[in-house]
Amino acid sequence: MRGGEVWRVSQVLRLLSRLLVVLFILFTPMSAFAVNPDEVLADPALEGRARALSAELRCMVCQNQSIDDSNADLAKDLRLLVRERITDGDSDDQVLNYVVSRYGEFVLLKPRFSMKTVLLWGAPALLVLAGGLSLLLFARRRVGKPTGSKLTADEQAQLSELLKK
């Protein structure tokens, strides 16, 4: 390659790298809060509580997003409900209990500790433990049992003859 060609190739590579950086920035998923300015409370302390509670509640439409991150109409309604309950003087626990009483435990992104959740999280461990114990018992039973049939008289004679050699 000549000097001019090297310069052109380096310019093209530089341009392509800049284009890739721009495309990466554009297509990187960015966390966008869905809280609209008309929903924000005037008191920053109450708004902070509302944001913290909204981050704990699941959007029933999106299911893997908090209501703070979701643009769904139901999420907006839940955000407004949370803010309404807070301005009425409810504590954080009262707000969560109210929402759970209306929508069930599924609305919580981090489920509470209860018998249901113990069973949910403990069942896989119990199943693995039961499977390991059954494999251990099965293996122990097989150790005491002979694996083959007894040698016939002819086979025994052949074996004795081979061992004598």
Side-chain angles (χ1 to χ4, degrees), residues 98-113:
Y98 180 77
V99 174
V100 168
S101 71
R102 292 184 75 191
Y103 295 97
E105 287 282 330
F106 184 71
V107 78
L108 296 174
L109 281 172
K110 295 179 184 173
R112 297 174 179 164
F113 186 76

Side-chain angles (χ1 to χ4, degrees), residues 40-76:
V40 176
L41 296 173
D43 184 0
L46 293 180
E47 180 60 27
R49 282 181 54 205
R51 287 288 177 106
L53 289 173
S54 295
E56 294 180 31
L57 297 172
R58 178 188 318 271
C59 173
M60 302 302 281
V61 176
C62 308
Q63 295 192 5
N64 285 332
Q65 282 185 325
S66 69
I67 62 171
D68 208 26
D69 298 333
S70 175
N71 285 325
D73 290 334
L74 180 61
K76 180 180 180 178

Side-chain angles (χ1 to χ4, degrees), residues 7 11 43 70 102 119 134 150 163:
W7 181 79
Q11 287 292 94
D43 184 0
S70 175
R102 292 184 75 191
L119 185 62
S134 63
K150 292 185 178 181
L163 290 175

Side-chain angles (χ1 to χ4, degrees), residues 68-85:
D68 208 26
D69 298 333
S70 175
N71 285 325
D73 290 334
L74 180 61
K76 180 180 180 178
D77 293 342
L78 282 173
R79 287 192 304 268
L80 291 174
L81 176 70
V82 165
R83 283 168 172 73
E84 177 184 319
R85 301 293 293 192

